[in-house]
Amino acid sequence: MMRYGMVKQLHAKYFVVACLLVLILCSCSGRDDKFQEFSINGSTMGTSYHITIVGDSIGTYERSQIGTLVDSVLIDYNHILSTYEDESEISVFNQQETTFPIQVSSDLIRVTRVGLELCQRSAGAFDITVMPIVNFFGFGFEEGRDRFPTIDEIDAWLELTGCDKIEINANNLRKTDPRVSIDLSAIAKGDAADVVTAYLMSRGYKNLFVEIGGEIMTRGVNRYGKSWKIGIDRPTFGGAPGADLQHIIELADMGVATSGDYRNYREVEGRRITHMIDPRSGSPITHNLASVTVVSDKCLYADGLATAVMVLGAEEGLRWLEDYPGAEGLLITRASNGEYHESMTSGFDQYIIQ
Ligand code: FAD
């Protein structure tokens, strides 16, 4: 079977930036440069990545090699976590209709463990077993339907979703129902940003900006010797990334991720639906929370927490995130008159510079 997502990936280089890049690096003049900088850009996970490396001296040979090395890290990563690859480790696990424990890689265990932790802590608002619903609505690797589901279909999904449907024991993953499948899309891009950052640091690079599909990890300083500056888009439907900024934030050694309803959406039976699914109801979210940006020391967590808060909604999500250790967030709601309102956790304003 050729997966729908693979077809989408063929067009990736044309639409990825417009679809997924929610945060942009703000550049400044070039007069005060303290260090050299070079960038690597490429495609991965149906989207794009942009990496900036800053250092005292970066040789030409090094520059020519590092992109290839990063690509191979990302290719290996996709072979583990991509539900868009039939032969990836996660797809093979999903295809096995058994309740016997299945031995998997430490990376799949590690990311699944965080997915289950977020699921438990959000009481199921974040749920890694949500894939059948994501696919039905056309936000996964299958082509979506042009109708809303029946009550029977929703009931059937709800039987197959929940944190209790997947168990981890040492290196084994086990489904409690053979039909269950897992989807780590809500945290894997953030995790990949962490993984690529760790890889580059292991090669001696200390000052890094690693962005994969809008999820960002920073280390050290930019070429001016200052913290990295990142723009947060106002969540306007169809708005170009970076065209209309809500804020600019400054980060050092932190990750940031945004989830929103304004880039990945489609129309079904005359209604706009988003890719953020409420696993408790089996439907796309309908409340007025338009975007959530989360800062954390791991982009993996920033990514997952942003999705969880999107599902929980503005009020409950803000309260929940305030209590979550090591994370701060900015929530933007869309009022019926088209105005945007923001709320944030008590520590988020330390990052805002504009
Ligand atoms: P985020 O806000 O980070 O996450 C939203 C996504 O999480 C949804 O799209 C859904 O999949 C899932 N989700 C929705 N609701 C919930 C919930 N309540 N709990 C948990 N999860 C939820 N796309 C392609 O078109 N082609 C590809 O080849 C391709 N390969 C990929 C490979 C990998 C390893 C990964 C991780 C993703 C890949 N994608 C691919 C998917 C694409 O990049 C996704 O759109 C992306 O992962 C979702 O990220 P986001 O930033 O849009 O949304």
Side-chain angles (χ1 to χ4, degrees):
M1 176 179 69
M2 184 166 184
R3 297 192 163 207
Y4 176 65
M6 300 302 281
V7 179
K8 282 202 283 179
Q9 195 173 39
L10 298 177
H11 305 289
K13 65 180 174 181
Y14 301 110
F15 74 77
V16 285
V17 173
C19 287
L20 288 164
L21 191 65
V22 287
L23 298 163
I24 56 136
L25 173 69
C26 302
S27 60
C28 310
S29 73
R31 267 180 282 150
D32 306 323
D33 295 19
K34 281 200 160 151
F35 303 109
Q36 286 184 24
E37 140 184 320
F38 80 101
S39 300
I40 313 162
N41 304 312
S43 298
T44 186
M45 304 180 196
T47 182
S48 56
Y49 74 81
H50 306 274
I51 295 171
T52 301
I53 301 178
V54 169
D56 291 329
S57 74
I58 301 162
T60 318
Y61 177 73
E62 227 177 323
R63 288 176 192 234
S64 69
Q65 291 303 303
I66 197 70
T68 312
L69 293 170
V70 166
D71 276 334
S72 67
V73 169
L74 289 168
I75 288 167
D76 288 349
Y77 192 88
N78 272 266
H79 287 338
I80 297 171
L81 282 158
S82 177
T83 53
Y84 292 75
E85 285 183 16
D86 273 337
E87 307 296 326
S88 70
E89 193 177 11
I90 194 169
S91 294
V92 170
F93 172 79
N94 285 340
Q95 287 150 23
Q96 297 194 48
E97 296 209 350
T98 175
T99 56
F100 283 113
I102 297 169
Q103 195 176 339
V104 297
S105 67
S106 56
D107 277 324
L108 185 50
I109 292 280
R110 180 178 58 79
V111 184
T112 305
R113 197 185 292 286
V114 174
L116 291 179
E117 176 195 329
L118 290 169
C119 185
Q120 276 146 8
R121 293 186 82 141
S122 67
F126 184 97
D127 190 339
I128 59 169
T129 61
V130 76
M131 198 156 77
I133 315 175
V134 172
N135 273 337
F136 179 94
F137 285 107
F139 299 113
F141 58 79
E142 287 176 7
E143 193 159 3
R145 313 291 169 82
D146 288 323
R147 62 170 178 84
F148 281 94
T150 62
I151 288 173
D152 286 348
E153 282 169 324
I154 292 177
D155 286 345
W157 295 329
L158 296 183
E159 246 183 67
L160 297 179
T161 54
C163 334
D164 56 338
K165 300 288 187 300
I166 297 288
E167 292 172 358
I168 298 179
N169 190 352
N171 295 329
N172 296 316
L173 283 186
R174 191 178 88 79
K175 308 175 185 190
T176 59
D177 182 312
R179 298 163 300 166
V180 170
S181 52
I182 55 175
D183 175 14
L184 298 165
S185 294
I187 43 179
K189 282 193 289 128
D191 182 53
D194 293 340
V195 166
V196 169
T197 301
Y199 172 75
L200 290 169
M201 292 192 78
S202 75
R203 297 191 64 90
Y205 299 109
K206 295 191 180 76
N207 301 307
L208 298 164
F209 175 95
V210 175
E211 178 266 315
I212 301 180
E215 325 303 13
I216 294 170
M217 191 65 205
T218 62
R219 281 282 180 265
V221 292
N222 65 16
R223 69 176 193 249
Y224 313 106
K226 304 231 166 88
S227 298
W228 296 95
K229 293 176 182 54
I230 294 156
I232 299 175
D233 280 329
R234 188 158 295 135
T236 324
F237 288 110
D244 188 12
L245 293 183
Q246 181 83 10
H247 283 296
I248 296 174
I249 60 171
E250 204 171 49
L251 294 183
D253 301 330
M254 298 295 273
V256 60
T258 294
S259 288
D261 69 353
Y262 56 106
R263 295 239 161 81
N264 198 355
Y265 57 87
R266 51 192 287 264
E267 206 156 287
V268 172
E269 296 181 19
R271 279 165 52 192
R272 181 155 36 199
I273 56 162
T274 164
H275 67 141
M276 312 302 308
I277 305 295
D278 189 336
R280 301 162 301 182
S281 65
S283 307
I285 58 166
T286 51
H287 51 64
N288 65 350
L289 184 53
S291 81
V292 179
T293 297
V294 175
V295 173
S296 177
D297 63 350
K298 284 199 173 144
C299 196
L300 163 68
Y301 277 95
D303 200 5
L305 290 169
T307 301
V309 174
M310 272 304 293
V311 175
L312 288 168
E315 284 174 24
E316 192 186 348
L318 183 65
R319 277 197 305 273
W320 183 76
L321 192 60
E322 189 71 73
D323 289 340
Y324 209 98
E328 300 294 345
L330 168 76
L331 287 67
I332 305 177
T333 50
R334 191 183 296 108
S336 50
N337 63 2
E339 283 180 7
Y340 292 98
H341 300 284
E342 63 176 43
S343 54
M344 60 185 85
T345 56
S346 50
F348 191 85
D349 61 354
Q350 69 184 294
Y351 303 114
I352 298 178
I353 55 168
Q354 192 179 310

